[in-house]
Amino acid sequence: MEIVAERPEHAAAIETLLDLSFGAERHARTSYRLRRGVPPCAALCHVALEEGELRGSLRFWPVIAAGQAALLLGPLAVAPEHRGRGFGVALIRHGLALAERGDHRFVLLVGDPDYYGRFGFTRNLTRGLTLPGPFEDRRFLGLELTPGALDGLTGNVTSAAASACRVRAAAALA
Ligand SMILES: CC(C)(COP(=O)(O)OP(=O)(O)OC[C@H]1O[C@@H](n2cnc3c(N)ncnc32)[C@H](O)[C@@H]1OP(=O)(O)O)[C@@H](O)C(=O)NCCC(=O)NCCS
């Protein structure tokens, strides 16, 4: 298994995998509203490959949470016939390790707490935040990259500017 940075030639296979995993109607979901019109954080988007074939994909988007720049983890998907082989865990561990080296202070996601709990994501950290649409309460999770970053944070989660990740990456290199 290899985890490599997503490249343009992976895009079509990723779309097929996301359609298969979440359905074509996924674009109406609340987490997709936060992604609309905003490119993902390219430096954090990776794919899992095996024998050159796409097995899984993880992307991150920039968002604003109560006025602070944050990351939205996902979508994460693994090819159905290859689930349970560690691709998902490997992609998340890799993505979070890279995110920790950047300058975002916390990560949000809408997903299964039984899966994401192992990485430290918890609903307790997002109680003060509101998403711009319906979501299942137990599935809105947060993880602090800087201890205390979500402590007492109250407000709305909104889309970031289209340039958000590019600007932050450039600032980190400067
Ligand atoms: C969820 C998903 C990404 C997991 O990827 P994966 O490569 O199959 O997972 P891994 O092999 O890395 O991890 C396997 C572990 O996760 C657990 N797991 C997988 N899906 C789970 C879920 N929905 N809830 C709880 N645990 C889950 C397995 O039981 C296993 O646990 P173990 O390590 O204790 O044995 C994959 O099943 C998938 O693509 N599902 C459809 C899309 C989806 O739901 N994406 C996540 C958005 S919430």
Side-chain angles (χ1 to χ4, degrees):
M1 177 204 311
E2 309 177 82
I3 306 287
V4 301
E6 181 187 326
R7 295 190 299 269
E9 65 260 35
H10 300 133
I14 291 172
E15 283 312 296
T16 303
L17 175 58
L18 295 177
D19 282 346
L20 199 64
S21 301
F22 301 108
E25 69 286 358
R26 68 184 186 279
H27 294 281
R29 292 185 183 195
T30 296
S31 47
Y32 272 85
R33 287 187 201 178
L34 290 165
R35 298 177 183 128
R36 208 168 289 155
V38 183
C41 292
L44 297 177
C45 295
H46 283 71
V47 295
L49 302 177
E50 189 177 47
E51 293 168 4
E53 297 289 321
L54 185 98
R55 300 291 192 236
S57 160
L58 173 60
R59 288 168 166 166
F60 286 83
W61 253 263
V63 290
I64 303 293
Q68 298 201 20
L71 291 169
L72 182 69
L73 185 152
L76 166 71
V78 171
E81 63 277 28
H82 295 284
R83 289 178 189 163
R85 296 184 53 213
F87 290 111
V89 168
L91 280 164
I92 292 183
R93 291 211 190 288
H94 187 83
L96 290 178
L98 288 175
E100 276 168 15
R101 286 190 236 152
D103 52 357
H104 290 95
R105 297 173 71 236
F106 56 92
V107 183
L108 304 174
L109 66 82
V110 181
D112 192 338
D114 295 334
Y115 186 67
Y116 289 103
R118 72 190 65 201
F119 308 102
F121 283 92
T122 165
R123 174 66 175 120
N124 288 338
L125 289 172
T126 59
R127 297 268 175 221
L129 298 175
T130 307
L131 290 171
F135 62 95
E136 194 185 332
D137 186 80
R138 61 188 284 275
R139 290 169 59 87
F140 179 28
L141 312 176
L143 173 75
E144 292 175 338
L145 301 176
T146 302
L150 279 162
D151 201 13
L153 201 65
T154 306
N156 295 324
V157 183
T158 57
S159 298
S163 60
C165 275
R166 208 166 53 236
V167 168
R168 293 182 82 78
L173 289 173

